[in-house]
Each structure stands twice: as C-alpha cells, then as structure tokens.
Amino acid sequence: MGAALVQRLRAQGWNVGAVARRREMLQELQHKDAGRAGGRLVVRAHDAARAHEVPEVFEDLVRELGGLDLIVYAAGIMPKVGPQEYDTEKDLDQLAVNVGGCIAWCNAAARLFHTQRSGSIVGISSIAGDRGRKGNPVYGTTKAAMNTYLEALRNRLGEYGVHVLTIKPGFVDTDMTKGLPGLFWLISADRAAELVLKAVRSKATVRYVPKRWWFVGTVIRCIPSFVFRKMNV
Ligand SMILES: NC(=O)c1ccc[n+]([C@@H]2O[C@H](COP(=O)([O-])OP(=O)(O)OC[C@H]3O[C@@H](n4cnc5c(N)ncnc54)[C@H](OP(=O)(O)O)[C@@H]3O)[C@@H](O)[C@H]2O)c1
C-alpha cells in the first residue's frame, strides 16, 4: 500500500520520500517511475523497529525533500500465529514495527507540524484493531494502540491546524494477505491508496477503506464478548 501511495503522490506532482527496509525494492520503485512526469522520489532504507534512528532519518529526508506536508505511516507486519502459539519475541516484533515505529515517525512529524502549524499525519491501522480476535492477539493489539495514539495526536494537534487521520482498511491484495483464507471484498493496493488520499483531501478523522467496512466494524464492535469469543472473525 505504501508503494501505491508513493506512486500516486508522485504522479500528482509531489516530491515524495519512501522508507522501507529493502533497498532493492525501493530502487525498483525509483526505476519504475524514472522518466515519468511528476515530483521527485527520495528513498531511504531504514528499519522502523529501530526507533532511535528515526529523528536523524526524518530530518535528513525533510531536508532533501525541502519540507513536509504529509506523512503516512504504512509499515506493518502480521506474522502467522498458530492457535496454541504464545511467542513473546514474535509478538514484541509486531509491537516494535506497528506501534514503536508509528510513534517514532509520527512524533517526529508532530513536532514539525506543530511548529509550522500545518500538515497531515496518517496512520494505516486496521479493522483488526476494533476487537480482540483469537487468531492473532498481538496484531489487533498493535492496531488498537495505533488507533488510541492517533486519536490522542489528533486531539493534541487539532488546535494547531494539524490534521490526523486513522485509516482502517478491510482486506487489501498485498504481500500481507497473500494466501490467506477467507478474504472477501478484496481491493487492490492502488484502489486503497486512492481512497486513503481521498480521505486526506476531505480531512476525515477515521476512515474505513473502503467505506463499507464501517458497517462491518460497527456490527463487530456491538457483538457481546461471550458471543464474539465463539466466532472466528
Ligand atoms: N493488506 C491488508 O489487507 C491490510 C488490512 C488492514 C491493514 N493493513 C495494514 O496496512 C499497512 C500496509 O500493509 P500492506 O498490506 O501494504 O502490507 P505489505 O505489502 O506487507 O507491506 C508492508 C510494508 O511495510 C514495510 N515494513 C515492514 N516492516 C518494516 C520495518 N521493520 N521497517 C520499515 N518498513 C517495514 C515493508 O517494506 P520492507 O519489508 O522492505 O521493510 C512493506 O513496504 C500495514 O500496517 C498493515 O497492517 C493491511
């Protein structure tokens, strides 16, 4: 989804910074766009779990881009977890990327946007954060943490003209969902990126992507706990 967002923003003329661990994937993204009309693409290889490195990478990117109007935290991992598996290391890895990385990058942007009194912060959370599901307890926990953190940022920064948006996608056809059973209403990463940018433009606060997942989220949140624990959703 991050790559699709980068391509769309570039095509719209924005200078864009793309950050991920795999340098070769970033270079591929650069080559794909070489020669096309649009903004510049600046890439940095970085592991979001290394939160202490974020301030330097962030400042360096902002300098090279000539400023910043929008940050989208789209990094995330969702390892397969067995029904009897309680692997703390695996669980803490998810926390480090999905929550620690999100906080480190969004805090850096929040500081800048507060000072410049403008900017948009977007976190790609998930509908999975709406309830505690038995399938992957910590993935949902990381998304619930993102939701609360982003809400708090929104409440802090609103009065300074800074927009904070929580995105809750349903199923999107990416590496993360490859081979997963039971997918439905699957959309492409490019369609998801289009809907995310539409939500940014409309200054939405929380947006299910596509919007029909709002109904699913609302119903799921209303299911009593004693019923939910018997379900596999
Ligand atoms: N796909 C879905 O159905 C779905 C639904 C709801 C929410 N989401 C959320 O949407 C976001 C994007 O997921 P996706 O579907 O696009 O998955 P994806 O195709 O697996 O992409 C994940 C991205 O995160 C980057 N990443 C992973 N670990 C990282 C780390 N330690 N440091 C820096 N970058 C890292 C990956 O790049 P590198 O591996 O090169 O680092 C990759 O670009 C995630 O937060 C996911 O939880 C996805």
Side-chain angles (χ1 to χ4, degrees), residues 1-2 19-22 46-49 74-77 97 124-127 139 143 169-172 174-177:
M1 253 183 269
V19 181
R21 286 166 307 176
R22 286 168 296 170
H46 158 79
D47 183 343
I77 52 171
V97 179
I124 312 286
S125 175
S126 171
I127 191 166
Y139 179 73
K143 296 304 182 179
F171 294 126
V172 183
T174 66
D175 285 351
M176 186 173 275
T177 49

Side-chain angles (χ1 to χ4, degrees), residues 143-158:
K143 296 304 182 179
M146 274 184 83
N147 295 346
T148 305
Y149 165 71
L150 291 166
E151 182 188 18
L153 273 193
R154 182 177 308 120
N155 295 341
R156 268 192 162 204
L157 293 167

Side-chain angles (χ1 to χ4, degrees), residues 127-128 130-135 216-217 219-233:
I127 191 166
D130 284 358
R131 288 298 293 259
R133 290 170 167 78
K134 55 172 114 172
V216 178
V219 169
I220 283 179
R221 280 198 310 279
C222 292
I223 298 172
S225 231
F226 71 91
V227 177
F228 194 70
R229 83 178 56 125
K230 294 190 173 65
M231 298 170 69
N232 250 331
V233 291

Side-chain angles (χ1 to χ4, degrees), residues 59-174:
E59 271 172 38
D60 179 47
L61 261 180
V62 173
R63 202 177 313 114
E64 192 159 344
L65 288 168
L68 193 70
D69 302 293
L70 165 70
I71 183 167
V72 182
Y73 191 80
I77 52 171
M78 186 184 70
K80 278 200 178 71
V81 175
Q84 307 299 331
E85 187 177 2
Y86 300 93
D87 181 334
T88 304
E89 203 172 315
K90 197 190 257 189
D91 287 347
L92 294 181
D93 282 349
Q94 293 187 76
L95 268 179
V97 179
N98 301 4
V99 184
C102 174
I103 292 173
W105 279 93
C106 295
N107 274 352
R111 225 172 277 126
L112 174 68
F113 291 167
H114 182 168
T115 311
Q116 68 188 28
R117 297 195 170 239
S118 68
S120 288
I121 296 176
V122 181
I124 312 286
S125 175
S126 171
I127 191 166
D130 284 358
R131 288 298 293 259
R133 290 170 167 78
K134 55 172 114 172
N136 185 338
V138 174
Y139 179 73
T141 302
T142 65
K143 296 304 182 179
M146 274 184 83
N147 295 346
T148 305
Y149 165 71
L150 291 166
E151 182 188 18
L153 273 193
R154 182 177 308 120
N155 295 341
R156 268 192 162 204
L157 293 167
E159 63 184 292
Y160 301 103
V162 180
H163 167 227
V164 181
L165 167 62
T166 308
I167 295 288
K168 297 183 177 184
F171 294 126
V172 183
D173 189 9
T174 66

